[in-house]
Amino acid sequence: MSYSRKTLEFDTILDYVSRYAKTESAKNNLLNLNPLQSITEVLSELDLTEEVLGLIARFGSFPLLDDFDIEEVLNLIKIGQSLTISSILSLRLLLVMIEDMIQYKKSYQKQNVTMKVDEIFNELISLRKIITLIEDIMDPDGVILDTASDELYQIRRQIKRLELQRKDILNQLLQKRASQLNDQMIVIRNDRFCLPVKQEFKNTFKGIIHDESSSGTTVFIEPSETMEKTVEIGRLKFSEQQEIIKILESLRLLIVPHIEELEINMFHLIKLDFLQSKAKYALEINAFKPNINDKGLIELVNARHPLIDPDKVVPISLILNDIKKTIMITGPNTGGKTVALKTVGLLTLMAQSGLLVPLDQTSNLSLFKEVYADIGDEQSIQQSLSTFSSHMTKIMTIIEKIEDNCLVLFDELGSGTDPQEGSALAMGILDYLNDYDIRMIVTTHYSELKLYAYSHPHIANASVAFDVETLRPLYKIHYGISGSSNALSIASRLGLNSTVIEKAKTYTLSKDNDLTKSIKAFEEDSMRVKEKEQTLTLELQELKKEKKRLEKAYDELEASKDKILLDTKRKAEQQLKETQEKAQELLDILSIKPLKDHEIAEIKFELKQLGIEEMPKESKDSFKKGDFVHIKSYNQIGQVTKVSKDVYTVKFGMFEMPFSSTDLKKSDKPIDRSKDIKKKETAKPSYSDARMELDLRGFRYEDVKDELDKFLDTAMLNHLKSVRIIHGFGTGAVRKAVQDVLKKSPYVSEYRYGGEGEGLNGVTVVTLK
């Protein structure tokens, strides 16, 4: 893999990022960061960096200490070398930092948001037990506690006793031999406790002289009376140090079983240090995560070069895709062409390395196998290379290594030699590279290359804007038109003699050949297309606004519909509940006592009104010989003649058949109407107040039709004009059955309920045709 890191100043970016690292390990990892080839890895690193940036913004920086990497201390523990007080203090600080990091994790995980960085935080292992071991033998300043061991306690107790005895002796000598001393004080010379003795008494004062004053009037003598105590104290202090070494070794042995856990913690803490450094740099340059693809799509929206002063940098926007694989940028020097090249290349390397980049989040960046850049004049005096040779050396390398899926950046392609030959050479290079599926950005001044771009559909012509009045580049890229060098305008603004300018213009007019005219024609057409595009863009924006408005209205209607449906559902549930309660009431009636046929018919009618078409299943009844029963399957009334377990023999009409209890229901003895029927068939119809009437009270719903049809037939045969049908009030089942027949009867002209004296709603008066 080959990336133009130095040319695109990627190494400078990594240096800035590494300054945020707390450890040398994280810093080295950042300085050696390389672009990744896997889109999965790139997205993972960008996601992690973006998550850490969000954590820093909401919860502050990670509680990482400077130089917390104690790899050397861990190696000492593993190889069995004695630990120093400072190394144990470093270990303790690391362990406390681990606890702080675990608390940091708990504080943000309360938000119940799952993130990829959780996988790193969750690997941190609490080692509070080691902190406790260290605190049992040492205070936060590194002083070994007296209670670290019994032996150390005894040694220090003896040292304190001897030091007190020595102090008492010295104080007694201060009083006893005050006349021989220059001062009433105890001084330390060469780590020995001495008294300031006058010069004239130095030979009579027993002890060892350790020093004398600059004036020579005072000698500092360690009295012989304290020397024995001092020697004993020295011996005990040596024993103290030996005991401390034993204590520290015991501590090391207790830490050894946890060395793997410490190394796991170190690995993940350095990873978090690495991520935090990237996130903090992203915060500094106001960077975001772009959309990443491996299809060669580059779509920069307000991209900014991170090394240019944020107050001065002007965002750029450009597009490279399958249709326009190359951009040809023209325009004056210092117009921003090179900045555009470097911005595209640098941001590509940054994103491909897992760094957030300064652009709008809607931007797209692609992964590339290689990123080649030939930018600037890198003439080498030592190699005797001219500007042209320097460029050619780089271009030759690119041509030799080029393959599909590369990004190539050429600054002033073909420059440094004769314009005509340079243009031809540049076009030859572009033709050769056109055979590869790559993305290119090329800057040039040559008119021939501008026309070349117009004649190749895969190349987009563009120019950088330049303010001729202020002589300042605007760093904006205009698509569809090529730029001018503006050399004469710039020279004029800089104050070049006007006569020189006019003479130069005459040469430019004579050079205004067919090539220049063709370019101008192309640009005019392009501008017209651009204007139409802008108009369509505005219209599209308006349509999008209208779409959003309609979507909002639709959402409001949907919300209203949902509310209506909810209310309707509640009402339906309430109605169902009431229906169920009414149906249960009817079932209770059925279970209390046997019902007559007309009562059953009325209950069936009420159930039908409730939307229940079938009668509920009845519980099994028991019958005895002689009982009258209704046979459901035959819809007949019969009499039980024989009982055998759950089989009942029933006689009905001319038949006698066995039935189970589920097919039978108790019934009243049927009314024998045979005599009445015979009388009605043979006798003349009976009249009441000159009107014939039919009494249907007590009839079943099912029997009404047959009886009423016969009655109407008879009425028509007797040429009656009006009849009266008595059905009573009851549940309304018989009344409804009567009206159903009357509606369909061809004999009926009209019908109504009875009036005063006619039976009211218990009677229907029928007028016949």
Side-chain angles (χ1 to χ4, degrees):
M1 292 180 291
S2 177
Y3 299 99
S4 299
R5 298 167 62 107
K6 183 179 178 182
T7 303
L8 295 172
E9 300 175 281
F10 181 59
D11 291 336
T12 304
I13 295 293
L14 295 183
D15 181 63
Y16 278 110
V17 179
S18 68
R19 295 177 189 180
Y20 289 101
K22 299 289 186 179
T23 60
E24 284 298 317
S25 296
K27 183 175 182 178
N28 290 333
N29 291 341
L30 289 165
L31 290 173
N32 294 308
L33 197 59
N34 281 309
L36 302 167
Q37 290 293 310
S38 166
I39 191 169
T40 303
E41 291 179 339
V42 171
L43 289 174
S44 177
E45 285 298 312
L46 288 173
D47 286 341
L48 285 170
T49 306
E50 185 180 46
E51 288 177 358
V52 172
L53 177 60
L55 288 177
I56 292 173
R58 295 182 61 186
F59 301 95
S61 300
F62 295 161
L64 298 173
L65 300 174
D66 290 335
D67 301 320
F68 66 79
D69 187 352
I70 59 166
E71 184 180 357
E72 293 182 3
V73 176
L74 298 183
N75 288 333
L76 291 177
I77 295 173
K78 285 193 289 186
I79 65 177
Q81 189 167 333
S82 298
L83 297 177
T84 62
I85 299 294
S86 62
S87 63
I88 293 175
L89 285 175
S90 297
L91 175 61
R92 180 183 176 278
L93 287 175
L94 173 69
L95 296 170
V96 172
M97 188 186 78
I98 292 170
E99 297 303 315
D100 292 340
M101 288 292 285
I102 291 173
Q103 289 302 314
Y104 185 96
K105 175 193 73 172
K106 290 178 179 178
S107 65
Y108 84 76
Q109 286 185 344
K110 289 179 182 178
Q111 307 297 320
N112 295 322
V113 178
T114 303
M115 296 189 291
K116 289 183 179 180
V117 76
D118 291 345
E119 297 175 7
I120 303 176
F121 270 102
N122 292 338
E123 290 295 324
L124 296 179
I125 305 167
S126 174
L127 294 173
R128 186 172 290 278
K129 50 194 171 187
I130 300 181
I131 298 176
T132 302
L133 290 174
I134 295 174
E135 290 178 344
D136 285 344
I137 68 167
M138 183 186 298
D139 69 11
D141 296 324
V143 176
I144 302 299
L145 302 174
D146 294 349
T147 55
S149 74
D150 292 339
E151 182 67 20
L152 182 64
Y153 177 76
Q154 294 299 330
I155 292 172
R156 286 183 172 175
R157 186 179 179 187
Q158 293 179 53
I159 290 173
K160 287 179 181 177
R161 180 175 57 79
L162 290 171
E163 286 177 341
L164 285 172
Q165 290 177 1
R166 182 174 62 185
K167 185 177 180 181
D168 289 342
I169 293 171
L170 289 170
N171 285 328
Q172 290 173 10
L173 289 172
L174 284 174
Q175 300 296 325
K176 183 178 179 180
R177 308 183 73 169
S179 60
Q180 298 176 343
L181 304 175
N182 269 333
D183 204 348
Q184 291 291 310
M185 60 181 297
I186 300 170
V187 295
I188 296 176
R189 291 292 186 273
N190 299 326
D191 293 328
R192 296 286 182 152
F193 288 82
C194 304
L195 295 177
V197 180
K198 294 177 181 178
Q199 177 67 30
E200 58 268 31
F201 296 107
K202 69 176 182 178
N203 294 326
T204 60
F205 202 105
K206 293 182 179 181
I208 298 175
I209 298 174
H210 287 284
D211 197 5
E212 67 178 43
S213 65
S214 56
S215 62
T217 59
T218 304
V219 291
F220 300 99
I221 299 175
E222 179 186 7
S224 58
E225 293 89 339
T226 62
M227 290 175 62
E228 183 180 349
K229 303 293 182 186
T230 300
V231 171
E232 181 62 18
I233 290 171
R235 185 187 66 79
L236 287 171
K237 286 199 172 183
F238 177 77
S239 299
E240 177 189 27
Q241 291 304 314
Q242 293 301 112
E243 182 61 21
I244 288 173
I245 291 172
K246 290 180 183 179
I247 292 169
L248 296 182
E249 177 60 16
S250 298
L251 176 63
R252 187 191 69 80
L253 293 173
L254 291 173
I255 295 172
V256 167
H258 302 285
I259 195 70
E260 184 178 352
E261 294 170 316
L262 283 165
E263 288 178 333
I264 290 172
N265 279 330
M266 279 299 306
F267 176 81
H268 290 98
L269 287 170
I270 289 171
K271 177 65 175 177
L272 290 170
D273 184 19
F274 173 85
L275 290 172
Q276 179 173 251
S277 300
K278 294 199 297 181
K280 285 194 170 183
Y281 182 69
L283 192 64
E284 177 189 332
I285 63 173
N286 193 27
F288 299 94
K289 173 192 168 187
N291 299 306
I292 298 295
N293 67 89
D294 55 4
K295 308 299 181 184
L297 172 62
I298 296 178
E299 187 175 9
L300 300 186
V301 181
N302 294 326
R304 305 173 301 280
H305 196 292
L307 297 179
I308 299 178
D309 186 342
D311 295 329
K312 297 179 180 178
V313 65
V314 178
I316 65 167
S317 300
L318 58 82
I319 299 175
L320 279 172
N321 52 35
D322 281 339
I323 299 173
K324 295 294 184 181
K325 298 181 179 182
T326 301
I327 299 177
M328 183 82 69
I329 305 177
T330 54
N333 291 327
T334 73
K337 301 191 301 297
T338 303
V339 170
L341 281 181
K342 286 190 172 183
T343 301
V344 175
L346 179 58
L347 298 194
T348 296
L349 293 182
M350 289 176 66
Q352 200 163 330
S353 303
L355 294 171
L356 302 183
V357 286
L359 40 60
D360 285 4
Q361 289 175 284
T362 56
S363 300
N364 287 277
L365 284 171
S366 180
L367 306 189
F368 293 102
K369 290 181 182 178
E370 320 282 349
V371 177
Y372 298 110
D374 174 29
I375 298 174
D377 180 8
E378 296 183 14
Q379 181 174 345
S380 173
I381 297 176
Q382 291 180 343
Q383 297 179 11
S384 300
L385 294 177
S386 66
T387 299
F388 178 74
S389 299
S390 176
H391 282 296
M392 278 299 100
T393 301
K394 280 193 171 185
I395 292 171
M396 286 167 57
T397 302
I398 295 171
I399 289 175
E400 288 172 3
K401 295 182 177 180
I402 196 66
E403 58 181 316
D404 287 343
N405 193 30
C406 291
L407 175 63
V408 180
L409 308 171
F410 285 131
D411 190 22
E412 301 296 346
L413 183 61
S415 63
T417 185
D418 176 74
Q420 187 173 353
E421 290 187 354
S423 298
L425 182 60
M427 289 185 282
I429 293 169
L430 295 177
D431 280 346
Y432 178 83
L433 295 177
N434 187 40
D435 292 336
Y436 295 89
D437 185 15
I438 62 174
R439 301 293 178 266
M440 280 194 294
I441 303 179
V442 181
T443 69
T444 184
H445 286 291
Y446 296 151
S447 297
E448 288 82 358
L449 286 182
K450 299 175 187 179
L451 185 60
Y452 176 89
Y454 280 122
S455 61
H456 288 74
H458 71 281
I459 301 179
N461 239 324
S463 62
V464 289
F466 189 85
D467 190 331
V468 181
E469 295 299 320
T470 62
L471 300 183
R472 291 182 180 178
L474 300 178
Y475 297 105
K476 293 181 180 179
I477 296 177
H478 295 310
Y479 280 91
I481 58 172
S482 59
S484 171
S485 297
N486 292 313
L488 297 182
S489 298
I490 294 172
S492 176
R493 291 289 301 173
L494 290 173
L496 183 63
N497 188 289
S498 60
T499 304
V500 175
I501 298 295
E502 291 303 319
K503 288 182 178 293
K505 284 182 179 180
T506 61
Y507 287 103
T508 61
L509 291 173
S510 64
K511 293 290 184 180
D512 193 11
N513 53 21
D514 293 339
L515 175 62
T516 306
K517 292 176 181 178
S518 298
I519 292 175
K520 288 182 178 179
F522 274 123
E523 290 178 352
E524 289 173 0
D525 289 341
S526 179
M527 287 301 294
R528 283 193 291 270
V529 172
K530 196 73 175 178
E531 290 173 0
K532 289 181 180 179
E533 181 184 357
Q534 291 174 349
T535 302
L536 290 173
T537 301
L538 292 174
E539 291 178 358
L540 180 61
Q541 290 174 351
E542 290 299 320
L543 287 174
K544 286 181 178 179
K545 289 180 182 177
E546 181 64 15
K547 180 184 176 184
K548 286 183 179 180
R549 187 189 67 77
L550 292 174
E551 286 175 347
K552 182 179 179 182
Y554 174 78
D555 292 340
E556 291 174 353
L557 285 174
E558 284 292 305
S560 176
K561 182 187 77 172
D562 292 342
K563 184 178 184 302
I564 292 170
L565 288 174
L566 183 61
D567 292 342
T568 303
K569 182 181 177 183
R570 287 174 180 167
K571 290 178 182 178
E573 289 174 348
Q574 180 63 29
Q575 187 175 355
L576 176 61
K577 182 180 178 183
E578 293 173 357
T579 300
Q580 290 173 336
E581 290 174 352
K582 181 64 176 175
Q584 187 60 47
E585 183 182 338
L586 295 173
L587 290 173
D588 292 342
I589 294 172
L590 286 171
S591 63
I592 292 173
K593 61 179 181 177
L595 300 176
K596 295 179 180 180
D597 290 344
H598 73 276
E599 292 175 322
I600 292 173
E602 290 177 356
I603 289 176
K604 279 187 176 181
F605 177 75
E606 290 195 31
L607 287 172
K608 192 171 183 181
Q609 294 297 105
L610 294 173
I612 302 173
E613 297 293 336
E614 299 292 335
M615 284 284 286
K617 290 183 179 181
E618 301 162 353
S619 59
K620 291 183 178 180
D621 289 333
S622 59
F623 311 99
K624 64 181 182 295
K625 186 178 179 180
D627 285 348
F628 287 93
V629 294
H630 174 249
I631 306 169
K632 299 176 183 177
S633 56
Y634 287 87
N635 196 23
Q636 296 289 330
I637 302 296
Q639 189 173 22
V640 178
T641 60
K642 184 180 178 182
V643 179
S644 176
K645 293 185 179 180
D646 194 37
V647 179
Y648 301 91
T649 303
V650 180
K651 179 176 176 54
F652 58 102
M654 297 171 58
F655 303 98
E656 191 170 4
M657 297 172 62
F659 297 96
S660 66
S661 61
T662 57
D663 202 26
L664 303 175
K665 181 172 174 41
K666 285 184 179 181
S667 178
D668 294 334
K669 182 178 180 180
I671 300 171
D672 186 6
R673 290 190 173 91
S674 58
K675 294 180 181 179
D676 294 338
I677 293 170
K678 286 179 181 179
K679 287 179 182 179
K680 289 177 182 177
E681 288 175 350
T682 57
K684 292 182 180 179
S686 59
Y687 295 89
S688 174
D689 293 333
R691 282 177 291 181
M692 186 179 184
E693 69 179 20
L694 174 63
D695 189 352
L696 294 176
R697 287 176 291 183
F699 275 70
R700 293 182 303 172
Y701 181 89
E702 293 84 349
D703 298 330
V704 169
K705 185 178 185 307
D706 291 339
E707 197 67 29
L708 185 54
D709 283 341
K710 292 175 183 178
F711 172 71
L712 293 173
D713 287 343
T714 303
M716 288 299 293
L717 289 172
N718 286 276
H719 305 290
L720 295 178
K721 295 297 183 183
S722 178
V723 294
R724 190 171 70 155
I725 302 168
I726 303 172
H727 42 66
F729 296 92
T731 62
V734 176
R735 178 176 67 244
K736 186 176 185 307
V738 168
Q739 293 176 354
D740 287 343
V741 173
L742 294 177
K743 287 178 183 178
K744 299 177 182 179
S745 175
Y747 306 141
V748 177
S749 174
E750 62 180 7
Y751 59 89
R752 61 176 174 80
Y753 287 126
E756 286 291 337
E758 292 180 317
L760 300 176
N761 289 356
V763 172
T764 295
V765 178
V766 182
T767 301
L768 300 175
K769 294 180 180 178

